[in-house]
Amino acid sequence: MTADGLQGTAVDNFHYVRQPYTQVMGQTYTFSIYAKYGARNWVWIGPGGAPGATAYFNVNTCVVGTVVSGTSKIETANNGFCRASITWTATANVTDNIYIEGANADLDADYLGSGVNDVYYWGAQLENASVASTYIPTTTAAVYSPTLYDILPKTFCSTCAASKLTVE
C-alpha cells in the first residue's frame, strides 16, 4: 500500500484535506480511511454540515478517541496502518465537505505544523451504508455501485489537483 502524507504548514491552525459531498436527510453514511502516524499520532475525521458527526483516532495505537457525534470504529490494518471510520445519519440535506485532519491529541485539532508528514492517508471512501465495505480501488475518478455513495480517489497530496482535494 502506498500513501500520501499531510504536511501541516508552520502556522498554529487546522491542517486538513477535504472533499465536497452531498448528503440526503435521513440517509446513513459511513466515511472510512486508512491512516498511519507520522509526526502526529492523532487524526480527526468527519463531515461538515448536519449532524456534525466527528471523531478522533489515535493512529499509533489504533484506538478510538472522543466521538463528538455518530458512531466510530477503528481496526488494525497492514504495515502500521489503521482503518478508521465514522457513521452518521444525515439530519438535513447538505452539500459540504468531508474532512481528514491531523490532530495534536484527542480533542485538539489545532496545532503548529512542522512541515513534515503529520499523518499518512490512503483509501478514503464515503458510502451510503451503515458500515464500511471492503476497500474498492480508485485512482482519479469516483466509483459508484448500489451501496457506494462516493469513493474519494486514493491520492492525497499537497497540491491535490488530480483528486480535487483541498489541503489547508
Side-chain angles (χ1 to χ4, degrees):
M1 140 182 344
T2 59
D4 292 299
L6 171 65
Q7 293 185 1
T9 57
V11 295
D12 191 6
N13 207 336
F14 300 101
H15 306 280
Y16 55 85
V17 291
R18 64 182 178 180
Q19 171 72 41
Y21 80 106
T22 301
Q23 67 182 18
V24 177
M25 186 171 73
Q27 296 290 311
T28 300
Y29 299 92
T30 298
F31 178 62
S32 63
I33 63 164
Y34 289 87
K36 182 177 181 176
Y37 71 95
R40 308 275 172 217
N41 291 330
W42 289 87
V43 64
W44 171 98
I45 66 172
T54 60
Y56 287 82
F57 301 90
N58 184 321
V59 294
N60 184 13
T61 60
C62 291
V63 172
V64 175
T66 299
V67 179
V68 177
S69 179
T71 57
S72 295
K73 177 181 175 183
I74 194 166
E75 52 196 9
T76 303
N78 293 332
N79 300 318
F81 279 81
C82 306
R83 188 176 192 199
S85 65
I86 185 163
T87 301
W88 71 96
T89 300
T91 58
N93 294 328
V94 175
T95 297
D96 207 315
N97 291 294
I98 192 89
Y99 292 90
I100 302 170
E101 185 169 336
N104 197 45
D106 193 22
L107 287 173
D108 184 10
D110 181 354
Y111 62 91
L112 178 63
S114 60
V116 299
N117 290 330
D118 293 329
V119 181
Y120 296 92
Y121 303 97
W122 182 84
Q125 71 187 30
L126 176 61
E127 306 175 65
N128 189 193
S130 59
V131 295
S133 69
T134 303
Y135 172 71
I136 298 173
T138 62
T139 54
T140 57
V143 172
Y144 298 93
S145 77
T147 60
L148 294 175
Y149 167 74
D150 186 22
I151 297 179
L152 302 176
K154 77 171 188 72
T155 304
F156 292 89
C157 58
S158 60
T159 58
C160 299
S163 61
K164 299 180 183 174
L165 287 168
T166 303
V167 176
E168 298 189 12

